[in-house]
Structure formats: structure tokens, C-alpha cells
Amino acid sequence: MKKQFIAGNWKMNLTIDEARGLARKLCDESVNSGVVDIGVFPAFVFLRDICEILRGSKVYVGAQNMYLEKSGAFTGEISGPMLRDVGCTHVIIGHSERRTIFHETNSMINSKIKAALSCGLKTIFCVGEKQEERDDDKTNEVVGNQLSEGLAGLTSEQIKELTIAYEPVWAIGTGKTATPEQANEVHTFIRNTIRSKYENDTAQSIRIQYGGSVNSKNADDLLGQPEIDGALVGGASLDVKSFLDIVSAAARSS
Ligand code: PEP
């Protein structure tokens, strides 16, 4: 049985004091038994402080994005080695907000995944369809393309360092959640796609999180699905109680 992985994407939210407070509470309260992996993804400018607060705890810290080059004339960007330098172990790549608002393409996301893995950052790779694509019955086609282009050229050793997050765009921040069956169906498709490209072991061991309006009320049903190995949580990760309720739901389904 894989450990579930619950990740909190804080997005562009919180003040530094609020971020520190949230991290301290997590540090105190999530002295987790080790049954569930937990990670938080604060804004870049808070990372160093949050890494400091959570150092020695079981809560991983990661960034919400990074640039694909290691250093150089890329004004305003942050590199993988810089994230490592301040203590991050993880990074999210290909979030739908990066794809839609900042026009990140599958090929750019592929380069970012390679850059992240090459500097030792464990990567959450996000995929997911838009509402109109689901309505047109194109979910598998869209997610299939995101997977084949996003993972192009990666070895099975590298794939093992990834978590895939299935995040239907229509469910992110909308309060609309995929039903547990809808989510499980796409997770099965994702695992089968990985199986068709890599060995069965790789497909079995990779964790696939669900993301999209996960909260303390729907977490049990979603995380109880056989192909769901955790959650990427936006809004509900900003409140320590709701986030830890989701962690508890993950522990129950382990
Ligand atoms: C997310 O940002 O990855 C996310 C799933 O957000 P929310 O939980 O708020 O829908």
C-alpha cells in the first residue's frame, strides 16, 4: 500500500506572519505518525522562513513553480538550485494556473520537470482537462497528451521521483469537485498510460493525487478510491484545521 501524499498549495496568499503561523501550527499538530506524507507550497518569498520553521518536522516544503535554467539572465525567475539552497525538497510543475494564465506549454513543462529532477527536487506534475474538453469527451485525449509531452524523454528512475496530480481545471477553486468515480476513472487512465510507457512496477508505485476543491467534507470519499493516492489542496490548505482534517481522511484510507 502506498503512503498517501497530501500537499497544500498556498498559491499567492497569506502575509509572512500568517504563513509563519500556519507553518508553526502544522509543525505542532502534524507530528504525524508517518502514515501520510504532508507537504506545503508557500509563495517564493516565504520559502526560506517556512523551511526554517519546518526543518526537522515531517512536513515537506516546496515551491509552486520554478524556471528551467539553473542561473543567468532570466529576470524575475527562480531556479531549482535556488530552491534547494533555501531548503526546498519539492516543486509543483504544470499547475493549470501556470498553463492558462502564464501560457506554459507541455514542452516547457517537460523541460522544467527535467530541470527539477536534475537538481534533486521531487516534483508534483499537474495535468487536467478544462470543462469544455470534458463536455466534448476529450478528457483522456487531453490528459494523454499532457502526459506524453510532459514526460517525454524521462527514464523510469526519473518517473519514480514524480507525483502526478490530476486536477480537472473546472474543479479548481470553484467548489465543484469531480465525483470520486470520475476522479478514479481518470486516475486509472493515467496509471495505464504510465504502464504502457514504463514497467508495471513504475506504474504501480507512482502516486497520483486528486486536486480540485478537496475539503474536509469530501476528502474521505475521494481518498477512499483505490487509484487516488493523495490530494493537492488549494483553498482548504490555508486553514490548519481543514488541512489536517484532510490529512486524517488520508490516514483513514491508508
Ligand atoms: C489547486 O490549486 O491545486 C487546487 C486544487 O485548488 P482548490 O483546492 O482551491 O480547488
Side-chain angles (χ1 to χ4, degrees):
M1 187 81 177
K2 288 182 287 277
K3 251 195 206 179
Q4 297 247 356
F5 180 14
I6 305 298
N9 175 10
W10 294 357
K11 306 197 187 188
M12 199 177 71
N13 290 304
L14 307 173
T15 62
I16 183 69
D17 286 343
E18 289 165 343
R20 285 192 190 119
L22 187 48
R24 282 197 195 99
K25 283 195 211 148
L26 279 178
C27 195
D28 295 343
E29 297 183 37
S30 67
V31 200
N32 99 69
S33 57
V35 185
V36 177
D37 283 334
I38 307 175
V40 292
F41 295 77
F44 283 132
V45 288
F46 303 156
L47 283 171
R48 192 185 166 119
D49 277 39
I50 304 305
C51 285
E52 196 65 33
I53 291 168
L54 290 170
R55 191 188 309 150
S57 79
K58 291 200 170 149
V59 183
Y60 304 130
V61 183
Q64 300 165 18
N65 176 38
M66 59 172 262
Y67 193 56
L68 49 91
E69 297 288 349
K70 287 192 167 71
S71 63
F74 302 101
T75 302
E77 293 295 325
I78 304 285
S79 72
M82 289 172 174
L83 297 178
R84 289 301 307 259
D85 226 13
V86 296
C88 291
T89 51
H90 286 66
V91 64
I92 298 173
I93 302 286
H95 191 279
S96 72
E97 287 148 17
R98 300 294 320 167
R99 292 175 185 267
T100 54
I101 306 171
F102 301 101
H103 312 293
E104 289 194 9
T105 61
N106 287 332
S107 124
M108 207 184 280
I109 289 164
N110 175 252
S111 302
K112 286 190 176 195
I113 294 175
K114 288 176 175 159
L117 295 175
S118 78
C119 66
L121 286 165
K122 294 195 187 296
T123 302
I124 298 182
F125 165 43
C126 302
V127 296
E129 81 289 1
K130 296 185 181 136
Q131 181 70 64
E132 59 272 25
E133 293 164 337
R134 175 161 282 266
D135 295 343
D136 290 348
D137 231 359
K138 291 199 169 134
T139 299
N140 288 359
E141 187 188 321
V142 170
V143 172
N145 277 341
Q146 290 171 337
L147 288 171
S148 63
E149 293 177 28
L151 300 178
L154 294 185
T155 64
S156 53
E157 285 316 304
Q158 288 176 308
I159 295 281
K160 286 181 184 141
E161 299 303 313
L162 292 183
T163 297
I164 296 177
Y166 168 56
E167 298 207 300
V169 180
W170 48 271
I172 298 181
T174 58
K176 268 201 221 169
T177 320
T179 64
E181 295 71 26
Q182 279 174 325
N184 198 61
E185 195 177 297
V186 183
H187 282 228
T188 305
F189 168 76
I190 293 172
R191 204 176 300 286
N192 287 339
T193 305
I194 301 292
R195 188 174 288 115
S196 69
K197 296 181 197 297
Y198 300 92
E199 306 88 70
N200 186 44
D201 274 10
T202 309
Q204 280 312 118
S205 64
I206 196 163
R207 288 190 290 197
I208 308 176
Q209 297 173 317
Y210 169 77
S213 299
V214 177
N215 58 40
S216 49
K217 295 200 179 69
N218 57 31
D220 274 300
D221 285 345
L222 286 160
L223 297 172
Q225 294 295 310
E227 292 296 340
I228 300 188
D229 309 312
L232 180 52
V233 184
S237 70
L238 297 172
D239 175 78
V240 76
K241 182 172 180 317
S242 357
F243 188 61
L244 291 178
D245 282 349
I246 297 169
V247 171
S248 302
R252 280 193 288 281
S253 74
S254 294

